[in-house]
Coordinates of all heavy atoms in Angstrom, one line a residue:
M1 N 15.7 -26.2 -12.4 CA 14.9 -25.4 -11.5 C 15.8 -24.2 -11.1 O 17.0 -24.3 -10.9 CB 14.7 -26.2 -10.2 CG 13.8 -25.5 -9.2 SD 13.4 -26.5 -7.8 CE 12.0 -27.4 -8.5
N2 N 15.2 -23.0 -11.1 CA 15.9 -21.8 -10.8 C 15.9 -21.5 -9.3 O 14.9 -21.4 -8.7 CB 15.1 -20.6 -11.6 CG 15.8 -19.3 -11.4 OD1 16.9 -19.2 -10.7 ND2 15.3 -18.3 -12.0
H3 N 17.1 -21.4 -8.8 CA 17.3 -21.1 -7.4 C 18.0 -19.7 -7.2 O 18.7 -19.5 -6.3 CB 18.1 -22.2 -6.7 CG 17.4 -23.5 -6.6 ND1 16.4 -23.7 -5.7 CD2 17.6 -24.6 -7.3 CE1 15.9 -24.9 -5.9 NE2 16.6 -25.5 -6.8
D4 N 17.7 -18.8 -8.2 CA 18.3 -17.5 -8.2 C 17.5 -16.5 -7.4 O 17.2 -15.4 -7.9 CB 18.5 -17.1 -9.6 CG 19.5 -15.9 -9.7 OD1 20.3 -15.7 -8.8 OD2 19.4 -15.2 -10.7
Y5 N 17.0 -16.9 -6.2 CA 16.2 -16.0 -5.4 C 16.4 -16.3 -4.0 O 17.0 -17.3 -3.6 CB 14.7 -16.2 -5.7 CG 14.2 -17.6 -5.4 CD1 13.8 -17.9 -4.2 CD2 14.2 -18.6 -6.4 CE1 13.3 -19.2 -3.9 CE2 13.7 -19.8 -6.2 CZ 13.3 -20.2 -4.9 OH 12.9 -21.4 -4.6
L6 N 16.0 -15.3 -3.1 CA 16.1 -15.4 -1.7 C 14.7 -15.4 -1.1 O 13.7 -15.1 -1.8 CB 16.9 -14.2 -1.1 CG 18.3 -14.0 -1.7 CD1 18.9 -12.7 -1.2 CD2 19.2 -15.2 -1.2
D7 N 14.5 -15.7 0.1 CA 13.2 -15.7 0.7 C 12.9 -14.2 1.0 O 13.7 -13.3 0.9 CB 13.0 -16.6 1.9 CG 13.9 -16.2 3.1 OD1 14.2 -15.0 3.2 OD2 14.1 -17.1 3.9
G8 N 11.6 -14.0 1.5 CA 11.2 -12.7 1.7 C 11.9 -11.9 2.8 O 11.9 -10.7 2.8
N9 N 12.7 -12.6 3.7 CA 13.4 -11.9 4.7 C 14.5 -11.0 4.1 O 14.9 -10.0 4.6 CB 14.1 -12.9 5.6 CG 13.0 -13.6 6.5 OD1 12.2 -12.9 7.1 ND2 13.1 -14.9 6.5
A10 N 15.0 -11.4 2.9 CA 16.1 -10.6 2.2 C 15.6 -9.2 1.8 O 16.4 -8.3 1.7 CB 16.5 -11.4 1.0
A11 N 14.3 -9.0 1.7 CA 13.8 -7.7 1.3 C 13.4 -6.8 2.5 O 13.0 -5.7 2.3 CB 12.5 -7.9 0.4
A12 N 13.6 -7.4 3.7 CA 13.1 -6.7 4.9 C 13.7 -5.3 5.0 O 13.0 -4.3 5.3 CB 13.4 -7.5 6.2
G13 N 15.0 -5.2 4.8 CA 15.7 -3.9 5.0 C 15.2 -2.9 4.0 O 14.9 -1.8 4.3
E14 N 15.2 -3.3 2.7 CA 14.7 -2.4 1.7 C 13.2 -1.9 1.9 O 12.9 -0.8 1.8 CB 14.8 -3.0 0.3 CG 16.2 -3.2 -0.2 CD 16.9 -1.9 -0.5 OE1 16.2 -1.0 -1.0 OE2 18.1 -1.7 -0.1
L15 N 12.4 -2.9 2.2 CA 11.0 -2.6 2.4 C 10.7 -1.7 3.7 O 9.8 -0.9 3.7 CB 10.1 -3.8 2.4 CG 10.1 -4.6 1.1 CD1 9.3 -5.9 1.3 CD2 9.5 -3.7 0.0
S16 N 11.5 -1.9 4.7 CA 11.3 -1.2 5.9 C 11.5 0.3 5.7 O 10.9 1.1 6.3 CB 12.1 -1.7 7.1 OG 13.5 -1.4 6.8
S17 N 12.4 0.6 4.7 CA 12.6 2.1 4.5 C 11.4 2.7 3.8 O 11.1 3.9 3.9 CB 13.8 2.3 3.6 OG 13.6 1.8 2.3
I18 N 10.6 1.9 3.1 CA 9.4 2.4 2.4 C 8.2 2.3 3.4 O 7.5 3.3 3.5 CB 9.1 1.6 1.2 CG1 10.2 1.9 0.1 CG2 7.8 1.9 0.6 CD1 10.1 1.0 -1.1
L19 N 8.0 1.2 4.0 CA 6.8 1.0 4.8 C 6.8 1.8 6.1 O 5.8 2.0 6.7 CB 6.6 -0.5 5.1 CG 6.3 -1.3 3.8 CD1 6.2 -2.8 4.2 CD2 5.0 -0.8 3.1
A20 N 8.0 2.3 6.4 CA 8.1 3.2 7.6 C 7.6 4.6 7.2 O 7.4 5.5 8.1 CB 9.5 3.2 8.2
M21 N 7.5 4.9 5.9 CA 7.1 6.3 5.5 C 5.7 6.5 5.6 O 4.8 5.6 5.7 CB 7.5 6.5 4.0 CG 9.0 6.5 3.8 SD 9.4 6.8 2.1 CE 8.8 8.5 1.9
D22 N 5.3 7.8 5.6 CA 3.9 8.2 5.6 C 3.3 7.9 4.2 O 3.7 8.6 3.3 CB 3.8 9.6 6.0 CG 2.4 10.1 6.0 OD1 1.4 9.3 5.8 OD2 2.2 11.3 6.3
V23 N 2.5 6.9 4.1 CA 1.9 6.5 2.8 C 1.1 7.6 2.2 O 1.0 7.8 1.0 CB 1.1 5.2 2.9 CG1 0.3 4.9 1.6 CG2 1.9 4.1 3.3
T24 N 0.5 8.5 3.0 CA -0.3 9.6 2.5 C 0.4 10.5 1.6 O -0.1 11.3 0.8 CB -1.0 10.3 3.6 OG1 0.0 10.9 4.4 CG2 -1.9 9.4 4.4
T25 N 1.8 10.6 1.7 CA 2.6 11.5 0.9 C 2.9 10.9 -0.4 O 3.4 11.5 -1.3 CB 3.9 11.9 1.6 OG1 4.7 10.7 1.8 CG2 3.6 12.6 2.9
A26 N 2.7 9.5 -0.6 CA 3.0 8.8 -1.8 C 1.9 9.1 -2.8 O 0.8 9.4 -2.5 CB 3.2 7.4 -1.5
Q27 N 2.2 8.9 -4.1 CA 1.2 8.8 -5.1 C 0.8 7.4 -5.4 O 1.7 6.5 -5.3 CB 1.7 9.4 -6.4 CG 2.0 10.9 -6.4 CD 2.2 11.5 -7.7 OE1 3.0 11.0 -8.5 NE2 1.5 12.5 -8.1
S28 N -0.5 7.2 -5.6 CA -0.9 5.8 -5.9 C -1.6 5.8 -7.2 O -2.2 6.7 -7.6 CB -1.9 5.3 -4.8 OG -3.0 6.2 -4.8
Q29 N -1.4 4.6 -7.9 CA -2.0 4.5 -9.2 C -3.1 3.4 -9.1 O -2.8 2.3 -8.7 CB -1.0 4.0 -10.3 CG -1.6 3.9 -11.7 CD -0.6 3.7 -12.7 OE1 0.3 2.8 -12.6 NE2 -0.7 4.3 -13.9
C30 N -4.3 3.8 -9.5 CA -5.4 2.9 -9.4 C -5.3 1.8 -10.4 O -5.0 2.0 -11.6 CB -6.7 3.7 -9.7 SG -8.2 2.7 -9.7
A31 N -5.5 0.5 -9.9 CA -5.4 -0.6 -10.8 C -6.6 -0.7 -11.8 O -6.6 -1.4 -12.8 CB -5.3 -1.9 -10.0
N32 N -7.7 0.0 -11.5 CA -8.9 0.0 -12.3 C -8.9 1.0 -13.4 O -9.0 0.7 -14.6 CB -10.1 0.1 -11.4 CG -11.4 -0.1 -12.2 OD1 -11.6 -1.1 -12.9 ND2 -12.3 0.9 -12.1
C33 N -8.7 2.3 -13.0 CA -8.8 3.4 -14.0 C -7.5 4.0 -14.4 O -7.4 4.8 -15.4 CB -9.8 4.5 -13.5 SG -9.1 5.5 -12.2
G34 N -6.4 3.7 -13.7 CA -5.1 4.2 -14.0 C -4.8 5.5 -13.5 O -3.7 6.1 -13.7
A35 N -5.7 6.2 -12.8 CA -5.5 7.5 -12.2 C -4.3 7.5 -11.2 O -4.2 6.5 -10.4 CB -6.8 8.0 -11.6
T36 N -3.5 8.5 -11.3 CA -2.4 8.6 -10.3 C -2.6 9.8 -9.5 O -2.6 10.9 -10.1 CB -1.0 8.6 -11.1 OG1 -0.9 7.4 -11.8 CG2 0.1 8.7 -10.1
K37 N -2.8 9.6 -8.2 CA -3.0 10.8 -7.3 C -2.3 10.5 -6.0 O -1.9 9.4 -5.7 CB -4.5 10.9 -7.0 CG -5.4 11.2 -8.2 CD -6.8 11.4 -7.8 CE -7.6 12.3 -8.8 NZ -7.2 13.7 -8.8
H38 N -2.1 11.6 -5.3 CA -1.6 11.4 -3.9 C -2.6 10.5 -3.1 O -3.8 10.7 -3.2 CB -1.4 12.8 -3.2 CG -0.2 13.5 -3.7 ND1 -0.2 14.5 -4.6 CD2 1.1 13.3 -3.4 CE1 1.0 14.9 -4.9 NE2 1.8 14.2 -4.2
F39 N -2.0 9.6 -2.3 CA -2.9 8.7 -1.6 C -3.7 9.5 -0.6 O -4.9 9.1 -0.3 CB -2.0 7.7 -0.8 CG -2.9 6.7 -0.1 CD1 -3.4 5.6 -0.8 CD2 -3.2 6.8 1.3 CE1 -4.2 4.7 -0.1 CE2 -4.0 5.9 1.9 CZ -4.5 4.9 1.2
A40 N -3.3 10.7 -0.2 CA -4.1 11.5 0.7 C -5.4 12.0 0.1 O -6.3 12.3 0.8 CB -3.3 12.8 1.1
E41 N -5.5 11.9 -1.3 CA -6.7 12.3 -1.9 C -7.7 11.1 -2.0 O -8.9 11.3 -2.5 CB -6.4 12.8 -3.4 CG -5.5 14.0 -3.4 CD -5.2 14.4 -4.8 OE1 -6.1 14.9 -5.5 OE2 -4.0 14.1 -5.2
A42 N -7.3 9.9 -1.6 CA -8.2 8.8 -1.7 C -9.4 9.0 -0.8 O -9.4 9.8 0.2 CB -7.5 7.5 -1.3
H43 N -10.5 8.3 -1.0 CA -11.7 8.3 -0.2 C -11.5 7.2 0.8 O -11.6 6.0 0.4 CB -12.9 8.2 -1.0 CG -13.2 9.3 -2.0 ND1 -14.1 9.2 -3.0 CD2 -12.5 10.4 -2.2 CE1 -14.1 10.3 -3.7 NE2 -13.1 11.1 -3.3
V44 N -11.4 7.5 2.1 CA -11.1 6.5 3.1 C -12.4 6.4 4.0 O -12.9 7.3 4.4 CB -9.9 7.0 4.0 CG1 -9.7 6.0 5.1 CG2 -8.7 7.0 3.1
Y45 N -12.7 5.1 4.1 CA -13.9 4.7 5.0 C -13.4 4.0 6.2 O -12.8 3.0 6.1 CB -14.8 3.8 4.1 CG -15.3 4.5 2.9 CD1 -14.6 4.5 1.7 CD2 -16.5 5.2 2.9 CE1 -15.1 5.1 0.6 CE2 -17.0 5.8 1.7 CZ -16.2 5.8 0.6 OH -16.7 6.4 -0.5
M46 N -13.7 4.6 7.4 CA -13.2 4.1 8.6 C -14.4 3.3 9.3 O -14.1 2.7 10.4 CB -12.8 5.2 9.5 CG -11.7 6.1 8.9 SD -10.1 5.3 8.7 CE -9.5 5.2 10.4
Q47 N -15.6 3.3 8.8 CA -16.7 2.7 9.5 C -16.7 1.2 9.3 O -17.4 0.5 10.0 CB -18.0 3.2 9.0 CG -18.2 4.7 9.0 CD -17.7 5.4 7.8 OE1 -16.9 4.9 7.0 NE2 -18.1 6.7 7.5
A48 N -15.9 0.7 8.4 CA -15.9 -0.8 8.1 C -15.1 -1.4 9.2 O -14.5 -0.7 10.1 CB -15.1 -1.0 6.8
P49 N -15.0 -2.8 9.3 CA -14.3 -3.4 10.3 C -12.8 -3.0 10.3 O -12.1 -3.1 11.3 CB -14.4 -4.9 9.9 CG -15.7 -5.0 9.2 CD -15.8 -3.7 8.4
G50 N -12.3 -2.5 9.2 CA -11.0 -1.9 9.1 C -11.0 -0.6 8.4 O -12.0 0.1 8.4
V51 N -9.9 -0.3 7.7 CA -9.8 0.9 6.9 C -9.9 0.5 5.4 O -9.2 -0.5 5.0 CB -8.5 1.6 7.1 CG1 -8.3 2.8 6.2 CG2 -8.4 2.0 8.6
V52 N -10.8 1.2 4.6 CA -10.9 0.9 3.2 C -10.7 2.2 2.5 O -11.3 3.2 2.8 CB -12.3 0.4 2.8 CG1 -12.4 0.2 1.3 CG2 -12.6 -1.0 3.5
A53 N -9.7 2.3 1.6 CA -9.5 3.5 0.8 C -9.9 3.2 -0.7 O -9.6 2.2 -1.2 CB -8.0 3.8 0.8
R54 N -10.6 4.2 -1.2 CA -11.1 4.0 -2.6 C -10.6 5.1 -3.5 O -10.3 6.2 -3.0 CB -12.7 4.1 -2.6 CG -13.3 2.8 -1.9 CD -14.8 2.9 -2.0 NE -15.4 1.7 -1.6 CZ -15.7 0.6 -2.4 NH1 -15.5 0.7 -3.7 NH2 -16.3 -0.5 -1.9
C55 N -10.4 4.8 -4.8 CA -10.0 5.8 -5.7 C -10.9 7.0 -5.8 O -12.1 6.8 -5.8 CB -9.9 5.1 -7.1 SG -9.5 6.2 -8.5
A56 N -10.4 8.2 -5.8 CA -11.1 9.4 -5.8 C -11.8 9.6 -7.2 O -12.7 10.4 -7.3 CB -10.3 10.6 -5.5
V57 N -11.3 8.9 -8.2 CA -11.9 9.1 -9.6 C -13.0 8.0 -9.8 O -14.1 8.4 -10.3 CB -10.8 8.9 -10.6 CG1 -11.4 9.0 -12.0 CG2 -9.7 10.0 -10.4
C58 N -12.7 6.7 -9.6 CA -13.7 5.7 -10.0 C -14.2 4.9 -8.8 O -15.1 4.0 -9.0 CB -13.0 4.8 -11.0 SG -11.8 3.6 -10.3
E59 N -13.8 5.2 -7.6 CA -14.3 4.5 -6.3 C -13.8 3.0 -6.2 O -14.3 2.3 -5.4 CB -15.8 4.6 -6.2 CG -16.3 6.0 -5.8 CD -15.8 6.4 -4.4 OE1 -15.9 5.6 -3.5 OE2 -15.5 7.6 -4.2
H60 N -12.9 2.6 -7.1 CA -12.3 1.2 -6.9 C -11.6 1.2 -5.6 O -10.9 2.1 -5.2 CB -11.4 1.0 -8.1 CG -10.7 -0.3 -8.1 ND1 -11.4 -1.5 -8.4 CD2 -9.5 -0.7 -7.9 CE1 -10.6 -2.5 -8.4 NE2 -9.4 -2.1 -8.0
V61 N -11.6 0.0 -5.0 CA -10.9 -0.2 -3.7 C -9.4 -0.2 -4.0 O -8.9 -1.0 -4.7 CB -11.4 -1.5 -3.0 CG1 -10.5 -1.7 -1.7 CG2 -12.8 -1.4 -2.6
L62 N -8.7 0.7 -3.3 CA -7.2 0.8 -3.5 C -6.6 0.0 -2.4 O -5.6 -0.7 -2.6 CB -6.7 2.2 -3.4 CG -7.2 3.2 -4.4 CD1 -6.8 4.6 -4.0 CD2 -6.7 2.8 -5.8
L63 N -7.1 0.0 -1.2 CA -6.4 -0.5 0.0 C -7.4 -1.0 1.0 O -8.4 -0.3 1.2 CB -5.5 0.6 0.6 CG -4.7 0.4 1.9 CD1 -3.5 1.2 1.9 CD2 -5.6 0.8 3.1
R64 N -7.1 -2.1 1.7 CA -7.9 -2.5 2.8 C -6.8 -2.8 3.9 O -5.8 -3.4 3.6 CB -8.6 -3.8 2.5 CG -9.7 -3.7 1.5 CD -10.4 -5.0 1.3 NE -11.3 -5.0 0.3 CZ -11.2 -5.4 -1.0 NH1 -10.0 -5.9 -1.3 NH2 -12.1 -5.3 -1.9
F65 N -7.2 -2.4 5.1 CA -6.3 -2.7 6.3 C -7.2 -3.1 7.4 O -8.0 -2.3 7.8 CB -5.4 -1.5 6.6 CG -4.5 -1.7 7.8 CD1 -3.4 -2.6 7.7 CD2 -4.7 -1.0 9.0 CE1 -2.6 -2.8 8.7 CE2 -3.8 -1.2 10.0 CZ -2.8 -2.1 9.9
V66 N -6.9 -4.3 7.9 CA -7.8 -4.8 9.0 C -6.9 -5.4 10.1 O -5.9 -6.1 9.8 CB -8.7 -5.9 8.5 CG1 -9.5 -6.6 9.6 CG2 -9.6 -5.4 7.4
K67 N -7.1 -5.1 11.3 CA -6.4 -5.7 12.4 C -7.4 -6.7 13.1 O -8.6 -6.3 13.4 CB -6.0 -4.7 13.5 CG -4.9 -3.8 13.0 CD -4.5 -2.8 14.1 CE -3.5 -1.8 13.7 NZ -3.3 -0.8 14.7
A68 N -7.0 -7.9 13.3 CA -7.8 -8.9 13.9 C -7.0 -9.7 14.9 O -6.0 -10.4 14.5 CB -8.4 -9.8 12.9
R69 N -7.3 -9.6 16.2 CA -6.5 -10.2 17.2 C -5.0 -9.8 17.1 O -4.7 -8.7 17.1 CB -6.8 -11.7 17.2 CG -8.2 -12.0 17.5 CD -8.5 -13.5 17.6 NE -9.9 -13.7 17.8 CZ -10.5 -14.8 17.7 NH1 -9.8 -15.9 17.4 NH2 -11.8 -14.9 17.9
Q70 N -4.2 -10.8 16.9 CA -2.8 -10.5 16.8 C -2.2 -10.3 15.4 O -1.0 -10.3 15.2 CB -2.0 -11.7 17.5 CG -2.4 -12.0 18.9 CD -2.1 -10.8 19.8 OE1 -1.0 -10.1 19.7 NE2 -3.0 -10.4 20.7
R71 N -3.1 -10.2 14.5 CA -2.7 -10.1 13.1 C -3.2 -8.8 12.4 O -4.3 -8.3 12.8 CB -3.2 -11.3 12.3 CG -2.6 -12.6 12.9 CD -3.3 -13.8 12.3 NE -2.7 -14.1 11.0 CZ -3.2 -15.1 10.2 NH1 -4.2 -15.8 10.6 NH2 -2.6 -15.3 9.1
A72 N -2.4 -8.3 11.4 CA -2.9 -7.2 10.6 C -2.8 -7.6 9.2 O -1.8 -8.2 8.8 CB -2.0 -6.0 10.9
F73 N -3.8 -7.2 8.4 CA -3.9 -7.6 7.0 C -3.9 -6.4 6.2 O -4.7 -5.5 6.4 CB -5.2 -8.4 6.7 CG -5.3 -9.7 7.5 CD1 -5.8 -9.7 8.8 CD2 -4.9 -10.9 7.0 CE1 -5.9 -10.8 9.6 CE2 -5.0 -12.1 7.7 CZ -5.5 -12.0 9.0
L74 N -3.0 -6.3 5.2 CA -2.9 -5.1 4.3 C -3.0 -5.6 2.9 O -2.2 -6.4 2.4 CB -1.5 -4.5 4.5 CG -1.2 -3.3 3.6 CD1 -2.2 -2.1 3.8 CD2 0.2 -2.8 3.9
D75 N -4.1 -5.2 2.3 CA -4.4 -5.6 0.9 C -4.2 -4.4 0.0 O -4.9 -3.4 0.1 CB -5.9 -6.1 0.8 CG -6.3 -6.5 -0.6 OD1 -5.6 -6.2 -1.5 OD2 -7.4 -7.0 -0.7
L76 N -3.2 -4.4 -0.9 CA -2.9 -3.3 -1.8 C -3.2 -3.6 -3.2 O -2.8 -2.9 -4.1 CB -1.4 -3.0 -1.6 CG -0.9 -2.6 -0.3 CD1 0.6 -2.5 -0.2 CD2 -1.5 -1.2 0.1
R77 N -3.9 -4.7 -3.5 CA -4.1 -5.1 -4.9 C -4.9 -4.2 -5.7 O -4.9 -4.3 -6.9 CB -4.7 -6.5 -4.9 CG -6.1 -6.6 -4.6 CD -6.6 -8.0 -4.5 NE -7.1 -8.3 -3.2 CZ -7.8 -9.4 -2.9 NH1 -7.9 -10.3 -3.8 NH2 -8.3 -9.5 -1.7
G78 N -5.5 -3.2 -5.1 CA -6.3 -2.2 -5.9 C -5.4 -1.1 -6.5 O -5.9 -0.3 -7.2
M79 N -4.1 -1.2 -6.2 CA -3.2 -0.2 -6.7 C -2.2 -0.9 -7.6 O -1.7 -1.9 -7.3 CB -2.4 0.5 -5.6 CG -3.2 1.5 -4.8 SD -2.2 2.3 -3.6 CE -2.5 1.3 -2.1
T80 N -1.9 -0.2 -8.7 CA -0.8 -0.7 -9.6 C 0.6 -0.5 -8.9 O 1.4 -1.4 -8.9 CB -0.8 -0.1 -10.9 OG1 -2.1 -0.2 -11.5 CG2 0.2 -0.6 -11.9
C81 N 0.7 0.7 -8.3 CA 1.9 1.0 -7.6 C 1.8 2.1 -6.6 O 0.8 2.9 -6.8 CB 3.1 1.2 -8.5 SG 2.9 2.7 -9.5
L82 N 2.7 2.2 -5.7 CA 2.8 3.4 -4.8 C 4.1 4.1 -5.2 O 5.1 3.4 -5.4 CB 2.9 3.0 -3.3 CG 1.6 2.8 -2.6 CD1 1.8 2.2 -1.3 CD2 0.8 4.1 -2.5
I83 N 4.1 5.4 -5.4 CA 5.3 6.1 -5.8 C 5.7 7.1 -4.7 O 5.0 8.0 -4.4 CB 5.0 6.9 -7.1 CG1 4.4 6.0 -8.2 CG2 6.2 7.6 -7.6 CD1 3.7 6.7 -9.3
F84 N 6.9 6.8 -4.2 CA 7.4 7.6 -3.1 C 8.5 8.6 -3.6 O 9.2 8.3 -4.5 CB 8.0 6.7 -2.0 CG 7.1 5.9 -1.3 CD1 6.7 4.6 -1.8 CD2 6.4 6.3 -0.1 CE1 5.8 3.8 -1.1 CE2 5.5 5.5 0.5 CZ 5.2 4.3 0.0
D85 N 8.7 9.7 -2.9 CA 9.8 10.6 -3.1 C 11.0 9.9 -2.5 O 11.2 9.8 -1.3 CB 9.5 11.9 -2.5 CG 10.7 12.9 -2.6 OD1 11.7 12.5 -3.1 OD2 10.5 14.1 -2.2
A86 N 11.9 9.4 -3.3 CA 13.1 8.7 -2.9 C 14.0 9.5 -2.0 O 14.7 8.9 -1.2 CB 13.9 8.1 -4.1
S87 N 14.0 10.8 -2.1 CA 14.8 11.6 -1.2 C 14.4 11.5 0.3 O 15.1 11.9 1.2 CB 14.8 13.1 -1.6 OG 13.6 13.7 -1.4
Q88 N 13.2 11.0 0.5 CA 12.7 10.9 1.9 C 12.8 9.5 2.4 O 12.4 9.2 3.5 CB 11.2 11.4 2.0 CG 11.1 12.8 1.6 CD 9.6 13.3 1.7 OE1 8.8 12.6 2.2 NE2 9.4 14.5 1.2
L89 N 13.4 8.6 1.7 CA 13.6 7.2 2.2 C 14.6 7.2 3.3 O 15.6 7.9 3.2 CB 14.1 6.3 1.0 CG 13.1 6.1 -0.1 CD1 13.7 5.2 -1.2 CD2 11.8 5.5 0.4
Q90 N 14.3 6.4 4.3 CA 15.2 6.2 5.4 C 16.2 5.1 5.1 O 15.8 4.1 4.6 CB 14.5 5.9 6.7 CG 13.5 6.9 7.1 CD 12.7 6.4 8.3 OE1 12.9 5.3 8.8 NE2 11.7 7.2 8.7
E91 N 17.5 5.4 5.2 CA 18.5 4.4 5.0 C 18.6 3.5 6.2 O 18.5 4.0 7.3 CB 19.9 5.0 4.7 CG 19.9 5.8 3.4 CD 19.5 5.0 2.1 OE1 19.9 3.8 2.1 OE2 18.9 5.6 1.2
C92 N 18.8 2.2 6.0 CA 18.9 1.3 7.1 C 20.3 1.0 7.5 O 21.2 1.1 6.7 CB 18.2 -0.1 6.7 SG 16.5 0.1 6.4
Ligands
LIG19 ZN1 -9.7 4.6 -10.2

């Protein structure tokens, strides 16, 4: 059995430098059509129970964000990746 890993807490410092950034400045790659565009160009629908962002090229769902009671749900599976300008990352 491979025990060459840590739990998710080990990534907290690294991820906080990214998730604290303004996502709209990042580029996102659509998991459906492969288009890479600034997230700010996505089509965002605020009328849903939460926020839904769709690809500007093919309308595939890129992101869903819903707050319900004491919890927040962030679904990023519609994107292959988010690409940030590393010079703007905050060091922890
Ligand atoms: Zn797309």
Side-chain angles (χ1 to χ4, degrees):
M1 185 175 280
N2 183 0
H3 293 286
D4 194 23
Y5 61 86
L6 302 172
D7 68 22
N9 292 311
E14 289 292 320
L15 292 177
S16 69
S17 68
I18 292 172
L19 296 176
M21 291 183 66
D22 181 1
V23 173
T24 61
T25 64
Q27 289 192 310
S28 59
Q29 184 175 42
C30 175
N32 185 54
C33 73
T36 301
K37 293 186 159 290
H38 283 100
F39 185 79
E41 297 177 75
H43 298 171
V44 175
Y45 299 87
M46 306 291 286
Q47 305 90 338
V51 174
V52 175
R54 291 183 173 269
C55 174
V57 175
C58 74
E59 287 292 320
H60 180 73
V61 174
L62 298 172
L63 171 151
R64 295 180 183 98
F65 180 66
V66 176
K67 290 182 187 173
R69 298 185 182 167
Q70 300 298 318
R71 301 169 78 186
F73 300 85
L74 178 60
D75 177 353
L76 299 171
R77 71 184 125 172
M79 288 186 264
T80 304
C81 64
L82 276 171
I83 305 162
F84 293 89
D85 179 351
S87 68
Q88 296 180 11
L89 295 179
Q90 299 173 3
E91 296 299 327
C92 298

